[in-house]
Amino acid sequence: MNTTVSSSVGEFIRTQRNAAQVSLRELSRRAGVSNPYLSQVERGLRKPSAEILAQIARGLKISAETLYEQAGILDRRSGTAGTVAALRADEALSERHKAVLLELYETYTREHAAQLAREQAAAPTTTAPTPTPQEETA
């Protein structure tokens, strides 16, 4: 994992923590991770393991998969990052509602991509020659 990924996962954790209105000390307590270590993760100075990411996710009440994606451990789910970020940032939704909406959104985007792939596969691969003006009038 490179510094950019470490930094981005740290920034994401900080953003999620601030959105949840949780102090660094409180998240540290909830996640069972030391306060200094968590601070270093947020600043991109430490590269957290998958286990630590799962503990932090549990403390933030988000899915571990979300942090794994940010850390580059898992491939990003389908859908646009902006839509996913907007759903995650919406303070009017509970974490459970966010998870359900994200799952539905991913399902719909995956189905739409599969439908497009089927349509492209069914489309003829050869193109018919364009008729000349003489052929059109004949």
Side-chain angles (χ1 to χ4, degrees):
M1 186 180 336
N2 64 30
T3 306
T4 305
V5 172
S6 293
S7 178
S8 69
V9 74
E11 290 171 14
F12 182 80
I13 290 168
R14 178 180 288 131
T15 301
Q16 292 299 306
R17 181 175 60 77
N18 289 334
Q21 298 179 338
V22 174
S23 71
L24 186 68
R25 181 167 280 131
E26 176 62 17
L27 178 57
S28 169
R29 187 190 65 72
R30 287 182 188 179
V33 176
S34 78
N35 193 19
Y37 183 81
L38 185 56
S39 174
Q40 291 173 346
V41 168
E42 283 193 358
R43 290 181 288 143
L45 302 175
R46 291 284 186 151
K47 177 176 75 171
S49 67
E51 183 178 323
I52 295 294
L53 288 172
Q55 288 175 239
I56 294 169
R58 193 171 33 255
L60 288 169
K61 298 179 182 172
I62 62 174
S63 73
E65 186 178 73
T66 300
L67 289 184
Y68 295 160
E69 289 172 4
Q70 290 295 318
I73 295 171
L74 281 179
D75 289 335
R76 187 164 302 282
R77 301 174 119 186
S78 55
T80 64
T83 302
V84 172
L87 286 171
R88 286 186 178 137
D90 192 332
E91 295 178 10
L93 299 171
S94 70
E95 290 304 317
R96 182 176 181 281
H97 290 139
K98 289 176 188 180
V100 170
L101 285 171
L102 288 168
E103 186 65 32
L104 284 170
Y105 178 65
E106 179 186 353
T107 300
Y108 289 140
T109 57
R110 196 174 36 237
E111 287 176 3
H112 181 68
Q115 178 64 32
L116 289 176
R118 284 191 298 272
E119 290 172 0
Q120 289 176 349
T125 55
T126 58
T127 57
T130 305
T132 64
Q134 294 84 5
E135 291 173 334
E136 286 180 348
T137 56

